[in-house]
Amino acid sequence: MIPLYVVFSKIGWIDTHLPLIVPQIMVNAYGVFLIRQFMMTVPDSYIEAAKLDGAGYLLIYSKIMLPLCKPALVTLGMFTFVGNWNNFVGPLIYLNTEELFTLPLIINSFRSAYAVDWGLLMAGSTVAVLPLLVIYLFAQRSFIEGIAATGLKG
């Protein structure tokens, strides 16, 4: 984290939300492995049939592989969102201004060395969970489609 802090301070990103957003979008090793493993389950006969029809690699990717990978992409998006939404250490390091604090940092500010304001802490925790529940409710259909599609024989 120290080298990242040095790089972000040299480009002027300290005390902005950019170091919290950009690295998560650009570099996600877990996503590479998740999508690769999912693409390995797609039958080769789909790709071979597209090649016989004269489709190039870009057309095969955009018309066959990408629609088939929709459940994996939705899952990866949800994992990434939940991981960043609940991130505590990154905002603690990169943000200095209290107006820029993320929800985990604000919830942590309800605790002091000798007392805890339990009412505010529980209300803040409820507010922090609501967006995750809403996103899950909207993405639930893709999860079900992914589970149903994996059981089909071609």
Side-chain angles (χ1 to χ4, degrees):
M1 295 189 115
I2 294 171
L4 279 176
Y5 185 85
V6 171
V7 169
F8 292 146
S9 67
K10 292 212 188 265
I11 60 176
W13 282 8
I14 298 301
D15 208 24
T16 67
H17 287 118
L18 289 173
L20 305 175
I21 298 169
V22 174
Q24 301 303 321
I25 293 172
M26 303 299 274
V27 179
N28 190 344
Y30 176 73
V32 171
F33 290 112
L34 179 74
I35 300 301
R36 181 200 178 272
Q37 288 303 115
F38 191 84
M39 284 188 174
M40 295 294 286
T41 64
V42 175
D44 290 336
S45 59
Y46 292 162
I47 298 168
E48 292 170 4
K51 284 181 182 177
L52 286 175
D53 288 342
Y57 289 114
L58 186 61
L59 189 65
I60 292 171
Y61 175 73
S62 64
K63 298 292 183 186
I64 296 172
M65 295 303 286
L66 202 56
L68 287 174
C69 289
K70 181 184 169 191
L73 292 172
V74 169
T75 302
L76 176 62
M78 280 202 52
F79 284 162
T80 303
F81 178 78
V82 169
N84 290 328
W85 184 258
N86 292 327
N87 189 7
F88 182 77
V89 176
L92 186 63
I93 292 172
Y94 301 124
L95 300 179
N96 301 322
T97 308
E98 195 168 322
E99 289 81 25
L100 296 175
F101 279 5
T102 58
L103 218 46
L105 291 178
I106 293 170
I107 291 172
N108 188 51
S109 69
F110 297 145
R111 298 175 43 222
S112 68
Y114 302 107
V116 176
D117 191 351
W118 289 107
L120 285 176
L121 189 70
M122 292 300 141
S125 299
T126 303
V127 168
V129 169
L130 288 177
L132 299 175
L133 289 174
V134 169
I135 287 177
Y136 176 74
L137 290 175
F138 282 118
Q140 187 177 8
R141 170 180 260 162
S142 293
F143 287 136
I144 293 170
E145 286 175 7
I147 292 168
T150 56
L152 297 177
K153 287 285 184 176

